Amino acid sequence: MAKYVLRRLVGAIPLVLGIATIIFFLINLAPGSPIDLIVGPGVTREFREQMIRNFGLDQPLHIQYVKWLGAMFTGDFGYSFSQTRPVRDVLLGFLPNTVTLSLAALFVAFLFGVVLGTVQAVRQYSALDSGLSVALLFFYSMPSFWLALMLVLVMSLMLGWFPVSGTVSTDYEFLSFTGRVVDRVRHLALPTLSLALVLTAGIARYMRGSMLEVVRQDYVRTAHAKGLPERVVVFKHALRNALIPIVTLVGLYLPFLFSGTVFIETIFAWPGMGRAIVGAIFQRDYPLVMAGSFFFATMVVLANLVADILYAVVDPRIRYE
Amino acid sequence: MRSLSRTAAARAVFAITASAVLSACGGDGGTRARPVPNVAFCQDVLPRVDAWVAQAREANPTPDDPRFGGTAVVGTIGEMADGMNAAVSSDYSATQHQQFVNLMTLVDYDVDANPRPYLAESWEVAEDNTSVTFHIRQDVYWHDGEQTDAHDVAFTYRVVTNPETAFPNAAFWNHYVQGDEGVEVLDDFTVRVLMEPHAEFLDPFRTVAILPEHLLGDVPPAELKQHPFGTQCPVGNGPFVFWSHSPQERWVFEANPAFPEALGGRPFLDRYVYRIIPEQTTLLAELLTQNIDVYISPAPDQAQRIVDDPEVELLRYPFRNYVLVGWNARRPQLSDARVRRAITMGTDRESIVQAILQGYGTVANGSVPPFHWAYDSDAPGLGYDPDGARALLEEAGWVDRDGDGIRENASGEPLSISIKYNTGNQQRQDIAEIMQAQLSEVGIEVTPQVVEWATLLQQINTPEVRDFDGVVMGWVVEFKLDDTDLFHSERIDEPFAWSGTRNADMDRLLVQLGRTVDREEARALWAEYQEVLIEEQPYTFFYFPERLDGVSTRLMGVQMDARGEWLNVKDWYLDPASR
């Protein structure tokens, strides 16, 4: 197993490097420059050139590339133009927010998805099954930013149950320890729900299908035949096997959650990675864009690896040797 | 199998609570510990700030007045990019916080834009207008305890006029003697700057805040932009002390207990918070649920919601920006001023202002916005006149020769232009599309074209490129107006000469306006300049939007106008009954 993981990790290096290289040239060749976004009228050419030098953009592209690559190997991702801090600090600052939100959404989505999908499969063609299908399809076809706005409208504006946006309250520093945890969880609720509800629908559909396939297997019929109660058959014999294909989804959704939450982060004023990177692209903040995409590429590779390892955990028949 | 799903679930629950708890551990429960960025400069300077504030608090007990206390929150769409670093920032909110919140400027403006003392308690202008001597207040301290003096002023002046700093508003110093020769410290609290006579010469000293020499004096100018002073641990001397900054989330400031009595003393608020909320719908929801006290610049279509809610009120006032369509007169279709005038006359700007701004704005006929002393509401302009437009086009030789509804010139080229605007800007898109519809009535074919912002700037600002016919843009101006970079023919190959028109009268007036110190004299010149703008039409000036702000009724004493939203933040207070 360890050998397999190692081999996969080594194999990922050229992949991540390739992605980083493509991104480097793409963003540098994109029209527009960070300088245009800063200077106003009255700026002479000398000033512009000084600014270009201050940003280190006066060197030829291939030199910049070699420098950037070299620096990256030493863990130095350079200096963010738009946030006036080292890129590493920028990313490390936003990472905890993104991780918290992604993990919370993933957990909620899988919990609901697996439970609802199982219920639907077990009660196939019942009114409950159809009702859930309609409800899930409703959430599935909903753009998550719209869902987010509706949640704000209902849960915050009308009912006042949850705060509208932000990660903490204004008086956070004055709260007790428990108060702080509660405050954080309350702020986490709506963004998590907006992300999770859409995912839940997909996971539940997969789960339902997978479960239906499993309950037709001989060993499930055998379990029924030897008189085991329904609960035991479903949870002990069927569920684990039905979960195998679902595990793949973790690998698919995790990188999506890390990078694809821009709308949610924007609506809930959640200072996360997605917003940082998209903002950086618009501002031509080359160092931040490159470090960010490097990070996301690494995340995708790692998430896929995690999914493959989870296979082995869920299904003892799968061995990586 | 049951055990598996249960442990997996348990692990996930653990991971989530752990991360919530970990992030909650930022301070020791209940007491307030200032987050200190992991940077040597900050770790050195912030404890000194804390010590000074504690001592200042003891020495200046809060007066017994119910207006003192509480936290006010301002919500806005964007981050303050370069923070409190006055030497490198051009961002509006950042400049406002440098002027009114964390730092101080030498002078500020009264309601009529007349300079009045602030950090400089007085000043003298040389008889021949070639120098200004500032006398600095002797009771202002940096928040780490050092006194603010003339050396700080001289240092700031040297830094912002040093080309290596790349100060973004370099035009401020066009008529000043730049660098070391331009500034002279006469004694610890007296400093003189040298200049040639020019209009509104005090305006830069209203905008550019003074920086601390004892903290930044050793930083090479080219590295100033990256210095942690800007966004991680600014040390100001203004009415509010920096407390913390979480990027893209919020800035927190605290009252400066030792702010000079003569300038109003300690602000009423204990804490002032600047929150970044990138979505306007969310901002509105936060205002309506009383989680923020001020919503900076709501969209015109949100204004009615604010007006209708009894707990918030809408402030509206003329502001410093205008929206325009710039014409590239280098293009053969647009090189004739008659065509540019016909385009303006063929566009019903009045109804567009009503539609797009819900009436919160006025039609613009020139570059002097309504807030300005030189603005003349009766200034002539080109009204909506499709027949006049058609006549002008005929006169210029553009006639529909093939009956397709689009005019052609003698050689058969159609009068067809594209208008570019930037992605995600609904108002500018509306302008381009309405112009398309209205101008087809007079025989001009308009194609709206959307371009991503940075790409658009490159296309219009690069002198060798200028890949556009028309472009919808906006300008934000300072109190000192100067269109030289936009319209003077000598600047035709500089980035902002979008139209590239040449007009000798315009050149002469721009130079004269730049040199005229007396406002009354200047007023006559501005009127003359207005006539030339109408004739030349380098832009179709579109509208001056009113600035809107949503303010909670529990926040009192708020005054806002073209000088900015934060101009009297130190006088804001929370209704004692609401706390």
Side-chain angles (χ1 to χ4, degrees):
Chain A
M1 183 70 144
K3 223 167 113 191
Y4 170 78
V5 172
L6 196 67
R7 205 171 61 227
R8 283 283 299 264
L9 284 177
V10 172
I13 293 174
L15 180 66
V16 170
L17 273 185
I19 294 169
T21 304
I22 292 171
I23 304 269
F24 178 91
F25 286 102
L26 267 185
I27 186 77
N28 274 287
L29 294 176
S33 89
I35 311 295
D36 286 331
L37 295 163
I38 297 167
V39 295
V43 171
T44 58
R45 277 170 191 252
E46 296 82 73
F47 270 79
R48 279 179 76 87
E49 276 151 27
Q50 182 64 44
M51 221 177 246
I52 289 171
R53 271 197 298 279
N54 290 3
F55 277 154
L57 296 172
D58 51 335
Q59 285 150 335
L61 198 54
H62 60 277
I63 304 282
Q64 286 185 47
Y65 174 69
V66 172
K67 274 194 168 174
W68 170 72
L69 207 61
M72 208 183 62
F73 275 114
T74 62
D76 173 13
F77 288 97
Y79 212 88
S80 159
F81 302 157
S82 62
Q83 308 224 13
T84 57
R85 283 180 305 151
V87 167
R88 193 179 22 132
D89 292 0
V90 174
L91 292 181
L92 286 179
F94 292 134
L95 192 60
N97 291 327
T98 300
V99 169
T100 312
L101 181 57
S102 309
L103 287 185
L106 203 65
F107 172 69
V108 170
F110 272 89
L111 185 73
F112 286 171
V114 167
V115 169
L116 293 179
T118 309
V119 168
Q120 281 191 286
V122 172
R123 301 268 175 274
Q124 200 189 0
Y125 301 137
S126 68
L128 184 64
D129 181 23
S130 327
L132 278 175
S133 284
V134 171
L136 289 173
L137 197 66
F138 177 71
F139 284 115
Y140 190 68
S141 26
M142 199 177 280
S144 59
F145 67 90
W146 190 81
L147 178 64
L149 287 175
M150 289 306 110
L151 284 174
V152 169
L153 186 70
V154 176
M155 305 274 228
S156 305
L157 219 48
M158 286 162 63
L159 300 172
W161 290 351
F162 295 106
V164 178
S165 71
T167 58
V168 291
S169 302
T170 307
D171 57 357
Y172 180 73
E173 286 103 344
F174 299 96
L175 298 175
S176 67
F177 179 75
T178 345
R180 290 183 185 193
V181 175
V182 170
D183 189 56
R184 285 212 171 248
V185 172
R186 274 168 47 84
H187 280 84
L188 193 56
L190 291 190
T192 303
L193 268 187
S194 322
L195 282 173
L197 279 179
V198 176
L199 293 184
T200 301
I203 294 168
R205 297 305 290 171
Y206 278 112
M207 190 63 206
R208 180 178 179 273
S210 168
M211 195 72 183
L212 282 176
E213 208 150 286
V214 172
V215 293
R216 289 196 198 97
Q217 301 289 322
D218 289 345
Y219 61 85
V220 175
R221 194 171 309 124
T222 312
H224 274 299
K226 68 181 180 186
L228 287 177
E230 171 87 9
R231 205 162 44 88
V232 178
V233 177
V234 170
F235 288 112
K236 201 157 181 182
H237 295 250
L239 186 65
R240 186 168 180 179
N241 286 301
L243 273 177
I244 297 174
I246 304 302
V247 165
T248 335
L249 295 177
V250 179
L252 281 176
Y253 286 162
L254 199 61
F256 160 76
L257 279 174
F258 268 57
S259 60
T261 55
V262 185
F263 288 120
I264 300 300
E265 287 174 1
T266 304
I267 288 170
F268 291 104
W270 193 270
M273 306 268 293
R275 231 172 89 196
I277 305 300
V278 171
I281 292 173
F282 285 132
Q283 300 190 40
R284 302 294 189 269
D285 187 344
Y286 303 141
L288 186 52
V289 174
M290 286 169 324
S293 27
F294 177 77
F295 172 80
F296 286 138
T298 315
M299 282 307 302
V300 173
V301 170
L302 285 183
N304 279 309
L305 181 60
V306 168
D308 285 346
I309 294 170
L310 279 180
Y311 276 149
V313 175
V314 186
D315 185 351
R317 288 170 303 182
I318 298 174
R319 288 274 176 276
Y320 297 116
E321 295 305 342
Chain B
M1 293 320 100
R2 204 170 183 184
S3 64
L4 172 101
S5 48
R6 192 178 280 172
T7 49
R11 261 186 236 135
V13 172
F14 174 76
I16 291 159
T17 26
S19 65
V21 167
L22 278 180
S23 15
C25 285
D28 40 326
T31 64
R32 313 178 43 224
R34 173 208 283 279
V36 179
N38 187 19
V39 179
F41 175 79
C42 300
Q43 291 181 335
D44 174 46
V45 83
L46 286 182
R48 280 192 274 142
V49 171
D50 286 337
W52 181 78
V53 171
Q55 163 268 316
R57 231 177 241 147
E58 222 147 278
N60 305 274
T62 306
D64 188 22
D65 181 326
R67 288 177 298 178
F68 283 96
T71 303
V73 186
V74 167
T76 156
I77 203 153
E79 174 64 284
M80 298 192 266
D82 290 295
M84 299 305 124
N85 192 338
V88 295
S89 75
S90 55
D91 176 89
Y92 168 74
S93 295
T95 315
Q96 286 275 303
H97 282 72
Q98 293 155 18
Q99 290 175 38
F100 302 119
V101 178
N102 190 231
L103 294 161
M104 292 177 77
T105 49
L106 287 177
V107 302
D108 75 354
Y109 279 177
D110 68 12
V111 78
D112 298 315
N114 294 309
R116 59 183 181 191
Y118 194 40
L119 178 56
E121 60 186 352
S122 65
W123 59 89
E124 294 115 35
V125 181
E127 198 77 358
D128 55 357
N129 285 322
T130 54
S131 73
V132 200
T133 308
F134 293 101
H135 302 279
I136 310 302
R137 296 193 70 86
Q138 305 196 10
D139 53 2
V140 175
Y141 291 83
W142 296 106
H143 300 151
D144 65 352
E146 289 278 328
Q147 190 163 14
T148 304
D149 62 20
H151 300 284
D152 294 311
V153 178
F155 159 72
T156 308
Y157 186 83
R158 286 196 305 269
V159 163
V160 294
T161 56
N162 184 340
E164 282 183 34
T165 311
F167 176 69
N169 293 314
F172 282 174
W173 314 112
N174 278 351
H175 300 280
Y176 275 96
V177 179
Q178 307 191 0
D180 292 355
E181 309 84 68
V183 61
E184 197 184 339
V185 175
L186 302 181
D187 65 50
D188 279 353
F189 295 96
T190 314
V191 60
R192 174 181 295 159
V193 289
L194 306 178
M195 61 182 183
E196 52 185 76
H198 67 286
E200 304 293 311
F201 54 81
L202 281 177
D203 201 50
F205 296 105
R206 169 195 67 92
T207 318
V208 181
I210 301 306
L211 292 167
E213 183 184 27
H214 70 286
L215 296 175
L216 299 173
D218 297 333
V219 182
E223 288 167 25
L224 262 176
K225 192 171 172 63
Q226 311 187 345
H227 196 274
F229 179 89
T231 58
Q232 300 189 57
C233 44
V235 178
N237 54 358
F240 285 92
V241 181
F242 169 81
W243 169 261
S244 71
H245 173 216
S246 327
Q248 304 291 334
E249 189 171 13
R250 61 181 185 160
W251 291 73
V252 182
F253 298 90
E254 287 194 318
N256 173 2
F259 194 66
E261 242 6 273
L263 296 175
R266 197 208 107 126
F268 288 129
L269 297 169
D270 280 343
R271 294 205 310 160
Y272 154 70
V273 178
Y274 176 94
R275 266 193 71 191
I276 298 130
I277 300 172
E279 165 61 44
Q280 291 198 310
T281 317
T282 313
L283 274 161
L284 182 62
E286 290 280 28
L287 180 72
L288 297 179
T289 52
Q290 307 271 309
N291 284 316
I292 60 175
D293 301 293
V294 181
Y295 168 6
I296 302 292
S297 194
D301 56 13
Q302 295 179 320
Q304 198 55 44
R305 272 303 292 272
I306 297 174
V307 171
D308 291 344
D309 193 312
E311 284 178 336
V312 288
E313 88 187 286
L314 183 77
L315 301 187
R316 51 187 287 196
Y317 46 92
F319 203 57
R320 306 209 302 258
N321 53 330
Y322 62 91
V323 171
L324 59 106
V325 181
W327 302 115
N328 184 358
R330 300 166 188 86
R331 294 286 161 97
Q333 319 92 295
L334 292 163
S335 59
D336 188 335
R338 285 174 297 187
V339 175
R340 301 195 295 270
R341 284 205 298 277
I343 290 174
T344 305
M345 289 158 70
T347 310
D348 184 1
R349 291 173 293 159
E350 187 62 53
S351 70
I352 295 182
V353 169
Q354 288 304 322
I356 297 180
L357 297 181
Q358 328 263 320
Y360 294 108
T362 42
V363 169
N365 284 309
S367 58
V368 182
F371 81 88
H372 199 266
W373 52 265
Y375 177 72
D376 175 8
S377 58
D378 298 326
L382 296 172
Y384 180 47
D385 178 8
D387 290 331
R390 288 187 195 102
L392 261 181
L393 290 169
E394 306 274 335
E395 191 190 313
W398 294 94
V399 183
D400 185 4
R401 291 162 213 272
D402 55 10
D404 63 350
I406 300 162
R407 292 167 187 272
E408 290 87 19
N409 63 7
S411 46
E413 285 149 14
L415 186 46
S416 163
I417 52 178
S418 72
I419 296 180
K420 292 189 172 177
Y421 60 92
N422 58 300
T423 342
N425 193 318
Q426 190 59 44
Q427 291 182 2
R428 295 184 185 177
Q429 180 179 345
D430 291 344
I431 287 177
E433 285 170 358
I434 297 174
M435 284 186 91
Q436 176 183 35
Q438 293 184 342
L439 290 176
S440 71
E441 303 284 314
V442 297
I444 302 172
E445 184 184 48
V446 172
T447 322
Q449 215 177 328
V450 60
V451 185
E452 185 264 337
W453 180 239
T455 310
L456 182 64
L457 289 182
Q458 191 249 353
Q459 290 178 351
I460 64 175
N461 287 349
T462 315
E464 304 79 44
V465 180
R466 305 274 194 214
D467 177 18
F468 70 102
D469 302 332
V471 61
V472 194
M473 290 296 278
W475 280 124
V476 185
V477 299
E478 286 301 333
F479 282 75
K480 176 188 167 184
L481 296 175
D482 186 355
D483 289 349
T484 309
D485 282 291
L486 315 183
F487 302 135
H488 196 290
S489 63
E490 270 175 21
R491 307 290 171 94
I492 217 155
D493 289 322
E494 297 295 330
F496 295 95
W498 297 329
S499 61
T501 50
R502 288 175 198 274
N503 183 311
D505 285 333
M506 184 106 85
D507 291 356
R508 172 182 56 84
L509 283 165
L510 285 169
V511 172
Q512 273 182 308
L513 279 168
R515 293 208 183 119
T516 309
V517 178
D518 181 64
R519 283 185 182 175
E520 278 318 305
E521 228 174 287
R523 229 185 273 273
L525 291 172
W526 281 112
E528 205 183 325
Y529 176 67
Q530 174 72 16
E531 305 273 353
V532 182
L533 274 186
I534 290 171
E535 185 65 25
E536 195 62 46
Q537 288 290 300
Y539 297 164
T540 293
F541 291 93
F542 239 92
Y543 52 71
F544 300 113
E546 276 181 53
R547 184 75 160 185
L548 306 177
D549 288 300
V551 181
S552 160
T553 48
R554 71 175 202 134
L555 187 65
M556 318 192 79
V558 179
Q559 190 191 344
M560 294 178 177
D561 60 35
R563 289 171 288 172
E565 270 91 353
W566 287 268
L567 76 100
N568 80 332
V569 58
K570 62 184 194 299
D571 306 324
W572 295 359
Y573 65 94
L574 294 162
D575 182 1
S578 77
R579 282 186 281 130

